[in-house]
Amino acid sequence: MHILPQSREDECADDRGNVIAIDARAFAGNVARARTLMPRGAALYQVVKADGYGLGIECAMRLGLGAGVDGFCVGTIGEALRAKAAAPAHPILLFTACPPALLAGIACRGVIVTVNSVAAYEALDGLDAARFMFEFDCGFGRFGLDHPAFDSLLAREAQRAQPRCLGGYTHFGSRALQLFDEGLQRFDGFGAKLRAAFGDAQVLMAAASHGLVWRPRLPYSAAHPGSLLYGMLPVSAAPDFAPVLRGVTSPIIQINRIAEAQALSVGYGSGVMLPADGATGVFPLGWNDGLSTGPALGNVLVRGRRVPVIARTLFHSIVDLTGIDAPVIGDEVTVIGSQRGETIGLHEAADAMGIAATELHFRLAGAITGARFRPEL
Ligand SMILES: *Cc1c(COP(=O)(O)O)cnc(C)c1O
C-alpha cells in the first residue's frame, strides 16, 4: 500500500503534501509558438538541464514528448542517463558539463556529447561509436572552440573512416544582444567549415530562447531553447509565452488558536502581536525550501484571502489566520497561484521576498521535486 500521496499527471507532490502544479497546455502552446519563430522543418531541442528547469527532468520531458519536441539537451551525466531512459529513441545532447575524462563513459550509452576543447575531443579518441557536436566560441570566451582549435579537430575527424560528428552549436544568453550579429557571423564561419567537411546534414544550432525572440526564423536546422518554453522570460521579452509553473501550494498541518492577545516571535519573523481570538497556521515549507529568511516573508492565500506570513523556520512557515472563518487542518495554502479569484503571481511573491522570479521558481520547484514522493513507498 502506498503511504505517500500519488501525484496527478499535471502535478508533483512531495512527501509533506506540498504540490507544484504544472500547466501542460501552456507548455504545448509555448512549443507551438516557438516553432513559428523557427524556419519550417527545423528541429526543436528542448533544454531540460537543471533537473528540467526545476520541474523534475522526467516531468519536463513528459511535457516535451506531449508537445512533440524533436530532442533534448541535458546538463549533467546523471540527467543524460535519466533522459535516455525516458526517451530512448530521441536524440539526447549533453552540454559541456564535466571533465573530459568522464565523456567516454556516457558517449558509449548513446548520448551525444559536446566537444568544446581539444582535450574533450581526445577523450573520445578510441571510440568509433561516439557521437558528438562541436561547441563554438562565438565571442564570449566562455565555452567552445576557437577557429585554430576547430580547424585542427576538423582535419583529424575528417581522416576517420566514419566521422562521428553530427553538428555544432553555440549559446547566446540574455546578455548577448550587443554581440548577437557579430556572434552570428562567427557562428556562420564555423558552420560553413563544418558543412564543407561533412555535408549539409550537419545540425547547426544557434537559437536558444533569446535568439528566437530577437531574430525570428534564423536559418539554422535546429533550435535549443530553455527558459522560453517554460514561460520564464520576463513578460516584456516574450509576451506570448505563458508560465508552466502554474502554482505552488502547501497544506496547513497545525492550527493554534490564540485566546489572549500575545506577542509571537519565532524563527525569522520580526515579532508580531496577535489579537485575542486570533489564530495561526503552520505549513511545511521553510527557508530550506528556498523561501526568504525574511523579513519580508510575503503573503499567501488561504480560503481565497491574502494573509501575511509572520514567521519562518528551517522547514516551516507560520501564517496569521486571524479573521479566517473556521480554518481547518488540510486547508490549502497557495504560495503562488490563484485561489477563489485572488492571485499571487510568481513575480509578486519574489518581489515580496526580495529575490528574482527565476530564482524563486528554481528554489521552490527544486525543493518540492527534490523531496517528491517515491512511488515504491
Ligand atoms: C541553458 C542553455 C541553453 C538554453 O538557454 P535559454 O537561454 O534558457 O534558452 C542553450 N544552450 C546552452 C549551451 C545552454 O547551456
Side-chain angles (χ1 to χ4, degrees), residues 58-265:
E58 288 82 7
C59 168
M61 289 179 68
R62 210 162 47 236
L63 297 176
L65 292 169
V69 303
D70 304 294
F72 299 94
C73 304
V74 297
T76 67
I77 288 176
E79 288 177 357
L81 292 171
R82 287 164 65 191
K84 201 70 200 158
H90 280 64
I92 310 291
L93 168 65
L94 173 61
F95 286 151
T96 300
C98 62
L102 299 180
L103 281 180
I106 190 68
C108 290
R109 309 273 186 106
V111 170
I112 304 164
V113 297
T114 294
V115 167
N116 64 308
S117 66
V118 174
Y121 182 80
E122 290 180 344
L124 304 174
D125 250 354
L127 276 182
D128 288 340
R131 292 292 174 270
F132 65 81
M133 290 180 73
F134 288 111
E135 182 170 18
F136 306 127
D137 178 1
C138 290
F140 302 102
R142 191 176 70 151
F143 286 123
L145 297 159
D146 59 14
H147 274 283
F150 177 57
D151 292 345
S152 76
L153 297 185
L154 208 52
R156 285 166 75 175
E157 189 64 12
Q159 282 173 358
R160 298 181 74 99
Q162 286 290 332
R164 306 162 300 172
C165 169
L166 300 179
Y169 71 89
T170 195
H171 180 217
F172 297 101
S174 62
R175 297 204 171 81
L177 186 55
Q178 277 88 341
L179 281 167
F180 197 51
D181 289 306
E182 201 185 315
L184 285 176
Q185 268 184 23
R186 288 183 195 235
F187 183 76
D188 290 342
F190 286 109
K193 288 181 184 174
L194 190 61
R195 288 192 161 172
F198 298 125
D200 286 346
Q202 289 287 304
V203 176
L204 294 178
M205 291 200 302
S209 299
H210 290 87
L212 289 173
V213 296
W214 288 333
R215 298 276 192 293
R217 284 172 289 283
L218 283 170
Y220 302 118
S221 51
H224 56 314
S227 31
L228 185 69
L229 300 182
Y230 302 95
M232 289 173 68
L233 287 196
V235 180
S236 57
D240 301 331
F241 288 78
V244 167
L245 184 68
R246 197 181 59 216
V248 174
T249 60
S250 184
I252 295 277
I253 57 172
Q254 167 146 1
I255 293 173
N256 291 309
R257 305 205 182 266
I258 315 290
E260 290 172 28
Q262 92 182 43
L264 182 82
S265 181

Side-chain angles (χ1 to χ4, degrees), residues 161-375:
Q162 286 290 332
R164 306 162 300 172
C165 169
L166 300 179
Y169 71 89
T170 195
H171 180 217
F172 297 101
S174 62
R175 297 204 171 81
L177 186 55
Q178 277 88 341
L179 281 167
F180 197 51
D181 289 306
E182 201 185 315
L184 285 176
Q185 268 184 23
R186 288 183 195 235
F187 183 76
D188 290 342
F190 286 109
K193 288 181 184 174
L194 190 61
R195 288 192 161 172
F198 298 125
D200 286 346
Q202 289 287 304
V203 176
L204 294 178
M205 291 200 302
S209 299
H210 290 87
L212 289 173
V213 296
W214 288 333
R215 298 276 192 293
R217 284 172 289 283
L218 283 170
Y220 302 118
S221 51
H224 56 314
S227 31
L228 185 69
L229 300 182
Y230 302 95
M232 289 173 68
L233 287 196
V235 180
S236 57
D240 301 331
F241 288 78
V244 167
L245 184 68
R246 197 181 59 216
V248 174
T249 60
S250 184
I252 295 277
I253 57 172
Q254 167 146 1
I255 293 173
N256 291 309
R257 305 205 182 266
I258 315 290
E260 290 172 28
Q262 92 182 43
L264 182 82
S265 181
V266 296
Y268 292 84
S270 50
V272 287
M273 207 48 208
L274 293 164
D277 295 326
T280 60
V282 179
F283 64 91
L285 274 175
W287 58 266
N288 186 45
D289 303 296
L291 297 175
S292 55
T293 52
L297 302 175
N299 295 309
V300 293
L301 302 175
V302 178
R303 303 245 176 144
R305 295 215 0 222
R306 196 172 289 255
V307 291
V309 176
I310 52 178
R312 179 161 290 138
T313 67
L314 185 61
F315 68 130
H316 290 141
S317 297
I318 301 176
V319 289
D320 184 354
L321 296 178
T322 304
I324 300 273
D325 188 27
V328 295
I329 285 175
D331 269 351
E332 186 171 277
V333 176
T334 294
V335 180
I336 291 170
S338 297
Q339 228 190 50
R340 304 187 190 179
E342 273 286 326
T343 299
I344 294 180
L346 176 67
H347 291 271
E348 179 191 338
D351 285 350
M353 296 181 217
I355 58 179
T358 46
E359 195 174 327
L360 184 59
H361 167 118
F362 272 106
R363 289 187 190 184
L364 275 175
I368 295 173
T369 58
R372 96 148 49 84
F373 78 93
R374 289 180 289 140

